[in-house]
């Protein structure tokens, strides 16, 4: 069908307003998920087919994203050709204007492409502000976008030593929170990156005092439920002197979620999904499709 297309979209959002990235069951509609709003925006383009979005990364309530991704199919009525990628981004953002969600780019992809299963890696960054006794002392632009600690310093050397223990292929059961599907997913993951680096405030050059920021970065093909927040909490505990590097190793080697100390996990608001990477070859359309003249008549909804 010449008016049918599959798209991969990349999108960002501030997590505080939403019940995570994926859609919320109808009986839990206190706050919608980001997916609910994205699907409503797609429906307002009035496609012929039912709207169903497949999100690559299931971030939790309060977690932010600078670049999550999802795919969906769209068939336009009246034999109109598929939207161009730029027009699709413009049209969806028009319908998301009231939300803290924005589409950053779109790609028309092969019919068998899957945003979740074709992802090669995902990168999360956790932002920490030091020497902040109360959130009101932060710049307004940082409210709910970092973990503000009273500590003026962290033992970064010990944190980096502990982070190195997490890199590689191993059983991360101790860093997995209990969930309904935990018995169906392997706890063995390959963590490619676990780094601790200096960060900065979004308005560092314009604020009246300097606040030290640190960023913890984690990259893997996939993560377990709340794994990043639990790894972050453990590394910060090492930096605070609450647990030692050998104790963190013991937690890891226990391979038991109950071995993880209660109350240690980092809060959601400092966590950002920053990248979802794909192979370029997986994004490429067939020669026949790529040679089609895809001409959009605009963002008309009729």
């Amino acid at each position: 069908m010449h008016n049918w297309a599959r798209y991969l979209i990349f999108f960002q959002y501030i997590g505080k307003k939403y019940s995570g990235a994926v859609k919320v069951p109808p009986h839990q509609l206190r706050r919608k998920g980001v997916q609910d709003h994205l699907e409503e925006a797609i429906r307002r383009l009035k496609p012929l087919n039912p709207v169903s979005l497949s999100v690559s990364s299931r971030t939790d309530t309060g977690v932010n994203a600078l670049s999550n991704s999802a795919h969906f199919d769209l068939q336009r009525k009246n034999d109109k050709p598929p939207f161009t990628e730029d027009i699709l981004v413009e049209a969806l953002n028009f319908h998301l204007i009231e939300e803290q969600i924005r589409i950053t780019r779109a790609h028309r992809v092969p019919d068998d492409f899957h945003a979740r299963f074709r992802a090669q890696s995902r990168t999360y960054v956790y932002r920490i502000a030091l020497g902040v006794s109360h959130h009101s002392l932060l710049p307004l632009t940082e409210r709910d976008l970092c973990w503000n600690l009273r500590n003026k310093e962290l033992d970064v050397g010990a944190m980096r030593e502990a982070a190195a223990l997490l890199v590689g292929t191993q059983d991360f059961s101790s860093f997995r929170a209990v969930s309904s599907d935990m018995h169906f997913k392997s706890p063995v993951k390959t963590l490619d990156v676990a780094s601790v680096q200096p960060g900065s405030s979004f308005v560092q050059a314009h604020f009246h005092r300097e606040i030290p920021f640190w960023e913890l970065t984690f990259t893997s093909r996939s993560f377990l439920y709340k794994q990043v927040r639990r790894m972050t909490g453990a590394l910060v505990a090492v930096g605070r002197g609450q647990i030692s590097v050998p104790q963190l190793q013991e937690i890891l080697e226990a391979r038991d979620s109950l071995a993880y100390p209660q109350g240690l996990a980092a809060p959601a608001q400092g966590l950002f999904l920053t990248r979802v990477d794909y192979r370029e070859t997986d994004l490429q359309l067939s020669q026949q499709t790529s040679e089609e003249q895809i001409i959009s008549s605009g963002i008309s909804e009729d």
Side-chain angles (χ1 to χ4, degrees):
M1 294 177 288
H2 73 278
N3 62 340
W4 182 93
R6 175 163 293 187
Y7 294 97
L8 169 68
I9 56 171
F10 291 88
F11 54 97
Q12 53 185 211
Y13 48 88
I14 302 300
K16 180 182 179 181
K17 187 178 176 181
Y18 308 105
S19 293
V22 298
K23 67 194 310 176
V24 176
H27 63 280
Q28 298 179 3
L29 278 182
R30 185 172 64 88
R31 278 191 298 183
K32 291 183 178 181
V34 173
Q35 181 180 352
D36 292 297
H37 294 284
L38 290 172
E39 290 187 349
E40 178 57 29
I42 298 167
R43 287 189 194 96
R44 295 185 71 174
L45 302 181
K46 299 187 176 178
L48 281 176
N49 58 301
V51 174
S52 179
L53 198 72
S54 294
V55 178
S56 73
S57 305
R58 300 165 63 95
T59 61
D60 299 328
T61 301
V63 175
N64 312 289
L66 296 177
S67 189
N68 203 339
S69 60
H71 80 264
F72 64 94
D73 298 328
L74 193 151
Q75 182 182 5
R76 300 185 70 190
K77 58 185 180 180
N78 299 330
D79 285 332
K80 291 181 179 179
F83 288 113
T84 63
E85 294 155 347
D86 289 345
I87 289 294
L88 180 67
V89 170
E90 182 181 344
L92 292 177
N93 282 335
F94 175 81
H95 294 302
L96 290 165
I97 193 64
E98 299 298 325
E99 299 300 326
Q100 292 185 313
I101 304 168
R102 290 296 177 271
I103 313 298
T104 58
R105 55 195 168 107
H107 297 271
R108 190 174 174 190
V109 291
D111 297 350
D112 62 351
F113 179 87
H114 198 288
R116 180 182 173 191
F117 300 123
R118 293 291 178 92
Q120 296 301 299
S121 69
R122 295 164 172 87
T123 297
Y124 285 88
V125 172
Y126 198 101
R127 304 178 68 245
I128 298 169
L130 297 184
V132 182
S133 58
H134 191 268
H135 63 74
S136 62
L137 299 176
L138 285 168
L140 189 61
T141 53
E142 297 293 347
R143 178 71 186 271
D144 300 317
L145 298 176
C146 65
W147 184 9
N148 50 285
L149 302 179
R150 292 176 179 269
N151 305 68
K152 294 184 178 180
E153 291 185 359
L154 294 172
D155 186 341
V156 174
M159 291 174 68
R160 287 172 172 162
E161 184 182 350
L165 298 174
L166 301 174
V167 175
T169 302
Q170 46 199 330
D171 187 323
F172 283 97
S173 291
S174 297
F175 293 90
R176 171 170 61 180
V178 175
S179 64
S180 59
D181 61 353
M182 65 182 295
H183 298 296
F184 303 100
K185 293 185 177 180
S186 170
V188 177
K189 299 291 180 184
T190 300
L191 189 63
D192 299 308
V193 174
S195 71
V196 183
Q197 300 295 334
S200 64
S201 166
F202 293 131
V203 291
Q204 182 173 355
H206 308 286
F207 198 54
H208 65 90
R209 65 187 180 91
E210 185 172 344
I211 299 175
F213 273 78
W214 288 89
E215 293 185 351
L216 280 62
T217 301
F218 304 94
T219 300
S220 176
R221 182 159 191 167
S222 62
F223 292 90
L224 299 169
Y225 181 53
K226 294 189 178 180
Q227 179 185 345
V228 175
R229 288 169 56 190
R230 287 164 75 97
M231 290 190 299
T232 296
L235 293 180
V236 169
V238 169
R240 285 170 144 176
Q242 294 173 303
I243 62 174
S244 66
V245 175
Q247 283 176 316
L248 183 140
Q249 185 165 10
E250 289 173 5
I251 293 170
L252 175 65
E253 292 176 351
R255 301 181 181 87
D256 182 358
S257 61
L258 296 178
Y260 188 88
Q262 285 190 343
L264 209 62
Q269 75 266 15
L271 185 56
F272 287 76
L273 172 62
T274 60
R275 291 181 65 98
V276 181
D277 288 310
Y278 298 94
R279 292 193 189 98
E280 283 298 323
T281 51
D282 287 340
L283 303 181
Q284 293 172 358
L285 294 171
S286 67
Q287 186 67 26
Q288 179 180 356
T289 305
S290 62
E291 289 175 351
E292 292 177 355
Q293 295 297 317
I294 305 173
I295 303 171
S296 175
S297 59
I299 62 173
S300 169
E301 299 175 16
D302 52 30

